[in-house]
């Protein structure tokens, strides 16, 4: 009997390893129907859209604009985020959402399920928010026995929708690393606030609402069932009230702010592109769309925290580079905040520069988590997609394709500052330091850490 149990357990373990580690390595090919849809989509327009935008690159401003948006809500709020924590900025957001729910706003929150046991299951603050009658919380693919064979399929989306007239979408998670000014070890990122001047008519806003409606009802999405004593809940509600009162004192124009049109600028067109929403291996839809947009262009600038490619992705870079001058800005290993991305770069740097693209190893004060692709002088693609295999084949991802010379120019000017802080590595292997580059050496301990990781990650790099 013990042998039988042992064999069954061994088979169970191997089945998990096969489903969660081996199966994701068999990447799906491009979807012909999706590629046709992309070819048939008009991403540019000669007329001005009714949607206006604001590009937000500062973490404290990112929190302030979120608070303004939530305060402006009258009917509904949707918050979808990969990583939500009850730290300082996360609690600020929860207090704002609680305040909105108190005045009758319907609040829906969707969080990736991997962070449920890590940060939220033991948080009285989070559960008190969940318990409010006007708040509904669901988790994407939570870690449980039911989902044991699809652990690696995550929701990487980050957006906030307010009623039918504005939303924010980008690469920031809902915690102190990305929002507010509560810690020094931050990551720099980018959000796009979209304001609709004719409520209910915004094309990209409707696309995002439709996308949320689809992912909200995915079979892998499970509703949170808050179990909290009433006394603890009341204590948390008092904390929410005090927290929000403090925010109103800190940021004087949260409640009174009305300059949405004045603070935003015109664009010609905004289009949402996405990966599939289910918890399964995905076709490389995002990469297909970016490749189509970059085809026959003259200038392409890719900003990504790190690069982790398979042969098809390298081939895509080569194809784009054949017609365009391609620059890739990524974090230098000495400053990167993702050890997996840094380690894979050490292993595959020659393959990346072998595509013909010029690579800029950025030595910024803080790690740059921004995901942006610039094409010629008018197209900017901004959102959550990293140039890695996880974002390409495993996770849900969202990007906005924005036809705007003003936005393109703004981001290029920021990138020129980053380039000055970088080492340029050309396709022939020559390296040139930027005028503002400040060298930083890895410690001996960090070097040893990376040497070990360089060996360890090789069989698992398709999951990174």
């Amino acid at each position: 009997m013990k042998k039988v149990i042992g064999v069954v357990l061994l088979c169970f373990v191997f089945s998990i390893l096969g489903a969660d580690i081996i199966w994701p390595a068999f990447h799906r090919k491009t979807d012909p129907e999706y590629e046709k849809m992309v070819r048939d989509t008009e991403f540019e327009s000669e007329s001005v859209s009714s949607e206006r935008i604001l590009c937000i690159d500062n973490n404290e401003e990112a929190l302030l604009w979120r608070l303004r948006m939530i305060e402006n809500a009258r009917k509904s709020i949707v918050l979808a985020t990969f990583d939500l924590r009850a730290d300082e900025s996360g609690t600020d957001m929860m207090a704002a959402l609680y305040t909105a729910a108190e005045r009758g706003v319907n609040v829906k929150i969707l969080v990736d399920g991997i962070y449920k046991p890590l940060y939220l299951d033991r948080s009285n603050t989070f559960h008190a928010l969940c318990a409010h009658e006007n708040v509904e919380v669901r988790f994407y693919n939570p870690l449980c026995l039911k989902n044991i064979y699809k652990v690696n399929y995550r929701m990487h989306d980050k957006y906030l929708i307010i009623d039918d007239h504005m939303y924010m979408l980008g690469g920031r998670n809902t915690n102190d690393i990305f929002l507010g000014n509560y810690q020094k070890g931050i990551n720099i990122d980018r959000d796009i606030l979209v304001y609709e001047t004719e409520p209910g008519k915004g094309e990209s806003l409707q696309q995002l609402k439709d996308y949320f409606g689809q992912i909200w009802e995915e079979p892998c999405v499970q509703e949170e069932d808050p179990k909290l004593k009433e006394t603890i809940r009341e204590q948390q509600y008092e904390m929410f009230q005090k927290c929000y009162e403090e925010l109103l004192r800190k940021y004087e124009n949260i409640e009174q702010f009305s300059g949405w049109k004045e603070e935003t600028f015109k664009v010609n067109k905004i289009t949402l592109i996405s990966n599939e929403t289910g918890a399964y291996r995905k076709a490389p839809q995002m990469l297909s769309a970016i490749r189509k947009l970059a085809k026959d262009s003259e200038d392409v600038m890719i900003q990504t925290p790190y690069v982790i490619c398979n042969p098809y992705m390298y081939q895509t870079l080569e194809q784009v580079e054949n017609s365009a001058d391609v620059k890739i800005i990524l974090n230098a290993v000495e400053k990167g905040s993702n050890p997996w991305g840094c380690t894979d770069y050490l292993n595959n740097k020659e393959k990346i520069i072998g595509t013909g693209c010029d690579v800029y190893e950025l030595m910024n004060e803080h790690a740059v988590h921004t995901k942006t692709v610039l094409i010629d002088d008018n197209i900017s693609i901004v959102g959550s997609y990293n140039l890695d295999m996880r974002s390409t084949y495993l996770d849900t991802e969202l990007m906005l394709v924005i036809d705007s010379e003003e936005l393109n120019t703004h981001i290029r000017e920021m990138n020129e500052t980053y380039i000055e802080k970088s080492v340029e590595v050309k396709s022939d292997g020559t390296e040139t330091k930027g005028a503002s580059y400040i060298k930083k050496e890895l410690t001996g301990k960090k070097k040893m850490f990376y040497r070990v990781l360089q060996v360890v990650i090789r069989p698992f790099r398709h999951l990174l």
Side-chain angles (χ1 to χ4, degrees):
M1 187 63 180
K2 288 183 178 179
K3 281 188 176 182
V4 173
I5 294 174
V7 170
V8 170
L9 287 175
L10 192 62
C11 289
F12 179 60
V13 170
F14 276 113
S15 70
I16 293 173
L17 293 175
D20 289 334
I21 297 177
I22 299 173
W23 183 237
F26 294 91
H27 295 140
R28 286 174 58 192
K29 296 182 179 180
T30 56
D31 182 349
E33 289 188 10
Y34 180 79
E35 289 197 320
K36 181 180 183 304
M37 184 191 73
V38 171
R39 286 195 301 270
D40 294 341
T41 299
E42 293 292 335
F43 291 97
E44 299 174 78
S45 175
E46 294 182 358
S47 59
V48 175
S49 169
S50 63
E51 295 179 313
R52 300 170 62 87
I53 69 166
L54 175 67
C55 182
I56 304 168
D57 295 296
N58 176 278
N59 284 13
E60 188 168 13
E61 288 184 5
L63 176 60
L64 173 58
W65 281 105
R66 280 166 169 79
L67 296 174
R68 286 171 173 169
M69 291 172 69
I70 293 170
E71 177 62 33
N72 198 259
R74 294 297 173 263
K75 295 180 181 179
S76 65
I77 296 173
V78 169
L79 172 65
T81 183
F82 175 59
D83 181 357
L84 171 65
R85 307 182 192 182
D87 53 12
E88 298 284 354
S89 62
T91 300
D92 289 345
M93 288 289 289
M94 291 183 201
L97 293 170
Y98 161 79
T99 302
E102 279 288 278
R103 63 174 184 266
V105 177
N106 177 263
V107 179
K108 290 184 177 180
I109 302 173
L110 180 61
V111 185
D112 184 76
I114 201 167
Y115 288 100
K116 186 175 186 291
L118 290 177
Y119 300 117
L120 299 175
D121 274 347
R122 294 178 297 279
S123 170
N124 289 337
T125 302
F126 175 71
H127 284 294
L129 177 63
C130 295
H132 196 287
E133 61 181 359
N134 290 328
V135 177
E136 185 177 0
V137 178
R138 295 185 184 182
F139 287 96
Y140 182 94
N141 193 25
L143 299 180
C144 59
L145 189 60
K146 175 185 174 183
N147 299 328
I148 196 68
Y149 294 115
K150 49 186 179 182
V151 169
N152 270 305
Y153 308 113
R154 311 308 332 163
M155 185 198 78
H156 198 233
D157 310 336
K158 297 108 172 182
Y159 54 91
L160 176 67
I161 307 174
I162 304 298
D163 295 334
D164 61 354
H165 64 282
M166 71 177 78
Y167 70 90
M168 183 184 289
L169 185 149
R172 283 187 173 89
N173 294 308
T174 311
N175 59 49
D176 289 345
I177 301 172
F178 297 93
L179 297 176
N181 61 347
Y182 294 108
Q183 67 176 49
K184 294 182 179 179
I186 65 171
N187 276 201
I188 303 299
D189 218 308
R190 174 170 292 131
D191 293 314
I192 300 294
L193 189 159
V194 180
Y195 173 69
E196 173 53 51
T197 58
E198 300 178 23
K201 294 186 179 181
E203 183 179 356
S204 69
L205 175 56
Q206 190 54 55
Q207 290 172 343
L208 183 57
K209 281 191 166 187
D210 291 345
Y211 175 90
F212 172 73
Q214 180 179 344
I215 198 170
W216 185 253
E217 298 298 336
E218 279 288 347
C220 66
V221 172
Q222 296 180 17
E223 188 170 356
E224 170 72 342
D225 181 23
K227 297 177 180 178
L228 198 66
K229 293 181 180 179
E230 290 295 331
T231 53
I232 299 177
R233 189 181 305 166
E234 289 303 319
Q235 291 173 2
Q236 295 299 322
Y237 286 171
E238 290 178 9
M239 183 277 295
F240 283 147
Q241 291 169 351
K242 291 179 181 178
C243 177
Y244 198 66
E245 288 170 2
E246 179 60 32
L247 287 171
L248 294 178
R249 286 191 291 269
K250 182 177 180 180
Y251 303 109
E252 295 180 358
N253 58 352
I254 294 177
E255 290 181 304
Q256 295 81 19
F257 184 80
S258 59
W260 302 100
K261 190 170 183 178
E262 293 76 14
E263 293 289 340
T264 54
F265 58 88
K266 296 177 182 179
V267 297
N268 289 352
K269 191 174 178 64
I270 307 173
T271 308
L272 183 76
I273 57 176
S274 68
N275 277 348
E276 298 163 286
T277 57
Y280 47 73
R281 292 182 310 134
K282 297 170 177 62
Q285 291 187 178
M286 192 70 72
L287 189 63
S288 296
I290 293 172
R291 184 179 61 186
K292 185 269 180 187
L293 286 158
K295 184 181 179 182
D296 301 325
S297 62
E298 295 181 358
D299 185 276
V300 175
M301 187 176 290
I302 300 170
Q303 190 174 5
T304 180
Y306 40 82
V307 174
I308 305 175
C309 291
N310 69 350
Y312 172 72
M313 297 171 71
Y314 288 128
Q315 183 185 51
T316 297
L317 290 173
E318 289 174 358
Q319 289 174 349
V320 174
E321 199 278 332
N322 285 336
S323 63
D325 175 24
V326 181
K327 297 180 177 69
I328 300 175
I329 303 173
L330 47 72
N331 291 304
V333 170
E334 294 85 355
K335 291 299 294 185
S337 60
N338 184 307
W340 316 112
C342 293
T343 304
D344 195 77
Y345 183 71
L346 292 172
N347 283 341
N348 295 286
K349 178 176 177 176
E350 290 185 3
K351 290 183 180 179
I352 297 171
I353 63 175
T355 63
C357 303
D358 292 338
V359 176
Y360 293 83
E361 300 174 356
L362 173 60
M363 194 74 77
N364 196 50
E365 180 184 359
H366 302 293
V368 179
H369 195 251
T370 305
K371 284 77 66 174
T372 301
V373 179
L374 302 178
I375 300 173
D376 292 333
D377 63 357
N378 67 310
I379 293 295
S380 305
I381 309 173
V382 182
S384 65
Y385 174 78
N386 298 305
L387 189 58
D388 64 17
M389 285 184 273
R390 169 159 291 281
S391 284
T392 303
Y393 297 102
L394 302 180
D395 292 351
T396 70
E397 301 287 353
L398 290 172
M399 299 284 272
L400 294 177
V401 181
I402 304 170
D403 178 10
S404 165
E405 290 187 8
E406 185 172 349
L407 177 63
N408 189 288
T409 300
H410 165 76
I411 296 175
R412 282 187 183 278
E413 289 174 353
M414 287 199 66
N415 284 352
E416 288 302 322
T417 302
Y418 286 145
I419 285 173
E420 289 295 304
K421 297 179 180 179
S422 304
V423 170
E424 177 187 9
V425 185
K426 285 191 171 291
S427 54
D428 62 5
T430 59
E431 298 188 2
T432 305
K433 296 177 182 178
S436 303
Y437 174 80
I438 300 176
K439 185 176 178 59
K440 179 184 177 182
E441 293 285 353
L442 286 174
T443 63
K445 187 176 180 181
K446 200 74 174 282
K447 287 179 181 177
M448 181 60 67
F449 173 71
Y450 278 132
R451 287 195 189 103
V452 173
L453 276 190
Q454 281 182 267
V455 177
V456 171
I457 71 166
R458 290 180 186 274
F460 312 105
R461 65 185 298 269
H462 61 283
L463 303 176
L464 305 176

